[in-house]
Amino acid sequence: MKGRLSSFFAGRYGADQLSRFTVLVSWVFIVLTLLTRGRASSLFSALTVVLLVITAARMLSRNHYARSAENQKYLAVKTRVLSKLDSWWKRLSQRRQYRFFRCPGCHVITRV
């Protein structure tokens, strides 16, 4: 049995950052399913199933190039979002000492 499983998983893509994120979002949807009732609960449970099926399909895929490209796109978006949140948090923590102005022409934020 162990040999069959290892031969089945040989050459598969496996888990990456995008699949971990989709599993985390699925857990959030499971919690939301438990906290809501009616159509919202059905929607969250359907989204959970869809995300888990997509994640399983990605992890069992043999197309490493396509899965790697998807993961790189996810990481680029994640980096952009985290950098925006980081700059917002820094401005929020410095708002007592400084004023921030955005240039209407080039949209650069200046700290004064």
Side-chain angles (χ1 to χ4, degrees), residues 9-32:
F9 286 110
R12 304 291 178 168
Y13 186 68
D16 59 0
Q17 292 88 352
L18 178 58
S19 61
R20 290 183 188 118
F21 176 73
T22 56
V23 169
L24 179 70
V25 172
S26 297
W27 277 104
V28 170
F29 284 153
I30 288 171
V31 170
L32 289 174

Side-chain angles (χ1 to χ4, degrees), residues 60-78:
L60 295 176
S61 173
R62 291 183 185 258
N63 190 350
H64 290 262
Y65 180 75
R67 301 297 82 80
S68 178
E70 291 169 355
N71 192 43
Q72 291 301 319
K73 288 178 186 176
Y74 162 72
L75 290 175
V77 169
K78 177 183 170 185

Side-chain angles (χ1 to χ4, degrees), residues 51-106:
L51 276 177
L52 290 176
V53 167
I54 289 172
T55 303
R58 286 190 78 251
M59 291 174 70
L60 295 176
S61 173
R62 291 183 185 258
N63 190 350
H64 290 262
Y65 180 75
R67 301 297 82 80
S68 178
E70 291 169 355
N71 192 43
Q72 291 301 319
K73 288 178 186 176
Y74 162 72
L75 290 175
V77 169
K78 177 183 170 185
T79 303
R80 238 182 333 204
V81 168
L82 288 179
S83 68
K84 296 238 185 211
L85 284 174
D86 186 47
S87 67
W88 176 79
W89 183 255
K90 285 180 182 176
R91 280 187 287 151
L92 186 67
S93 65
Q94 296 175 359
R95 74 181 188 275
R96 292 181 188 256
Q97 294 89 10
Y98 301 101
R99 291 277 304 190
F100 294 91
F101 299 99
R102 181 183 301 262
C103 175
C106 63

Side-chain angles (χ1 to χ4, degrees), residues 29 32-47:
F29 284 153
L32 289 174
T33 300
L34 296 174
L35 295 176
T36 58
R37 294 177 186 240
R39 287 188 178 175
S41 177
S42 300
L43 176 69
F44 289 136
S45 62
L47 287 173

Side-chain angles (χ1 to χ4, degrees), residues 1-12 60 62:
M1 185 68 173
K2 185 178 181 181
R4 288 182 185 173
L5 279 176
S6 65
S7 66
F8 175 76
F9 286 110
R12 304 291 178 168
L60 295 176
R62 291 183 185 258

